[in-house]
Amino acid sequence: MPKIASGEKIQLIAEGEITGEDSLYSERTGKRKFGTSTYKVYGALAGLQEEEEAVKPYLLVWLHGMDNGIELGHLTTIQKRLRHRVIFVVPMCPQTHKGTQFNWGCAFRTRDDKKQLGFVHGKLHEGYLMALTSKISDLAYEFDAERVLVMGYSMGGFGAFQLGGFAPDAFDVVMSVAGYGLGTLEPEDAMYGAPQPASSEIFEEFLTGIASELSRVPIVLAVHAQKDSMSSFRDVKAIIKSCKETQAKRGVLHTAELLEVEDRWADSDRNRKKRRISGHHYFNFSLLDESSEDFLWSKLRKYLSQAPLRLELRPLHIARVGEEPRGGGHRSIEEQKPKELVLEILHTVQQLLHLR
């Protein structure tokens, strides 16, 4: 296992590339490939005592937005806020491949991105989602991670929802900041100008086929401002509501919460050359500044101390958009395969132990 040099706050310890050949899905189909997607792995243990540096780390996957990156100093601040040793996995969204563009696992043709509506007209690319989540699970095993978290801002928040819904048992935490979903409930004459009712139908399918699977993740958090005019508060509120409703149906003791950014902080980010009032600039407030401690991090640390561990071993089928989902509740015993049934029982035992 790679180690961080003594005295280093954050250090690059590995890097690599995720290709279509990494995906079981692409092996099965032989065709569904995607463009180059690199990743870097950093270790961070700033502000920790010697005994704290030796504990099992959190593995935190950071998904970038349209700006294509995050400063290392920001990763260090996030690690300090978590008050834990952290291994950061920072992938890059796949490059365009044979005319197909990507918003993480959402793939669309250039012609479908008019008015930046690729997130409406696109489809979830199972090959890439499989390859990336497989790589994350491999790294979590390699570093013996205590917890696995996926977070992102804007497009990265969209990606966090995608990964958490595709492989919920691989994650302890899914956190979307200023994110969105596939499709939208927003009226055609507002915000995106997306065609209705088609966009709402796509979004509802996303809720039943993907978003409801987020209920299997122990902690799901969404950070959003009602004032945000670039990412829909309405849609994210619906995602969290769907997650809570499915949790209630399944009887699981998980956390799903929407943390609302007040209007006065929605454009509070500093050092932007062209200040556009869009309500979409609360990265520093919610993640880095002192304000983030009470607003987010103290809550997340508490949830992590109480949440059951992820169940990464359970096999899971994710229905494609338009297919009949399996996410509406547990199947009957007669419908489950023996291995899956055992894992469901283990999950129930874990929940009961958590109540004690």
Side-chain angles (χ1 to χ4, degrees), residues 11-305:
Q11 182 180 5
L12 176 66
I13 52 180
E15 53 187 320
E17 179 180 332
I18 300 168
T19 66
E21 285 70 25
D22 291 329
S23 167
L24 295 175
Y25 179 77
S26 63
E27 289 177 2
R28 177 160 51 86
T29 64
K31 294 181 179 180
R32 292 289 297 277
K33 307 293 184 179
F34 49 85
T36 301
S37 178
T38 60
Y39 68 91
K40 293 185 177 181
V41 181
Y42 300 92
L45 38 70
L48 300 179
Q49 301 297 319
E50 185 175 352
E51 61 273 15
E52 295 173 319
E53 295 179 359
V55 301
K56 291 183 178 181
Y58 293 165
L59 188 115
L60 193 157
V61 183
W62 176 263
L63 303 181
H64 65 76
M66 291 295 186
D67 57 356
N68 291 325
I70 185 171
E71 297 177 16
L72 294 186
H74 293 169
L75 294 181
T76 302
T77 299
I78 290 172
Q79 180 260 313
K80 288 180 178 179
R81 295 291 180 193
L82 283 167
R83 300 179 185 176
H84 201 95
R85 178 185 168 208
V86 177
I87 302 298
F88 288 100
V89 181
V90 185
M92 296 297 291
C93 192
Q95 295 179 4
T96 300
H97 179 69
K98 294 183 178 179
T100 299
Q101 299 181 44
F102 292 83
N103 284 352
W104 293 109
C106 177
F108 52 88
R109 308 294 288 183
T110 302
R111 63 177 178 270
D112 294 327
D113 197 33
K114 294 179 180 179
K115 298 195 296 183
Q116 296 185 323
L117 291 178
F119 74 98
V120 172
H121 302 300
K123 303 290 184 182
L124 294 181
H125 192 293
E126 293 184 35
Y128 180 69
L129 292 171
M130 178 73 78
L132 181 53
T133 53
S134 294
K135 177 59 66 177
I136 291 167
S137 293
D138 289 346
L139 290 169
Y141 177 80
E142 179 180 354
F143 288 99
D144 194 19
E146 178 183 344
R147 297 286 192 177
V148 178
L149 306 83
V150 58
M151 302 178 181
Y153 194 92
S154 193
M155 183 182 77
F158 180 30
F161 282 145
Q162 294 169 27
L163 292 185
F166 182 81
D169 293 340
F171 300 99
D172 296 280
V173 177
V174 170
M175 189 169 81
S176 171
V177 186
Y180 46 95
L182 187 68
T184 182
L185 298 174
E186 293 292 337
E188 189 165 349
D189 59 355
M191 201 168 186
Y192 303 123
Q196 294 294 2
S199 298
S200 291
E201 292 170 355
I202 293 168
F203 185 80
E204 292 294 343
E205 289 172 349
F206 175 76
L207 285 183
T208 56
I210 292 294
S212 66
E213 292 296 339
L214 287 169
S215 66
R216 297 180 183 272
V217 179
I219 303 169
V220 179
L221 299 178
V223 175
H224 219 96
Q226 283 201 46
K227 187 181 177 182
D228 197 327
S229 64
M230 297 180 67
S231 296
S232 172
F233 179 87
R234 183 201 307 257
D235 293 346
V236 170
K237 185 177 181 179
I239 291 171
I240 296 300
K241 180 183 178 183
S242 172
C243 188
K244 286 183 174 181
E245 290 176 347
T246 309
Q247 287 173 353
K249 290 178 181 178
R250 290 173 172 166
V252 293
L253 301 175
H254 290 174
T255 298
E257 186 173 353
L258 173 58
L259 303 178
E260 184 176 342
V261 177
E262 295 180 14
D263 288 353
R264 60 181 173 139
W265 301 115
D267 281 297
S268 60
D269 280 353
R270 306 175 298 274
N271 301 323
R272 288 184 290 113
K273 294 181 180 180
K274 295 182 179 180
R275 187 174 180 82
R276 180 186 172 191
I277 306 302
S278 64
H280 191 66
H281 302 106
Y282 38 96
F283 181 91
N284 291 288
F285 168 81
S286 57
L287 295 172
L288 303 180
D289 292 348
E290 287 302 317
S291 55
S292 68
E293 174 60 23
D294 289 337
F295 177 75
L296 170 66
W297 296 114
S298 61
K299 295 181 178 70
L300 179 55
R301 292 196 305 270
K302 177 183 176 181
Y303 295 151
L304 282 167
S305 70

Side-chain angles (χ1 to χ4, degrees), residues 326 329-338 340-341:
R326 201 193 73 183
H330 291 303
R331 293 171 296 164
S332 67
I333 291 177
E334 291 79 6
E335 295 175 309
Q336 297 188 49
K337 296 178 181 179
E340 290 179 296
L341 178 58

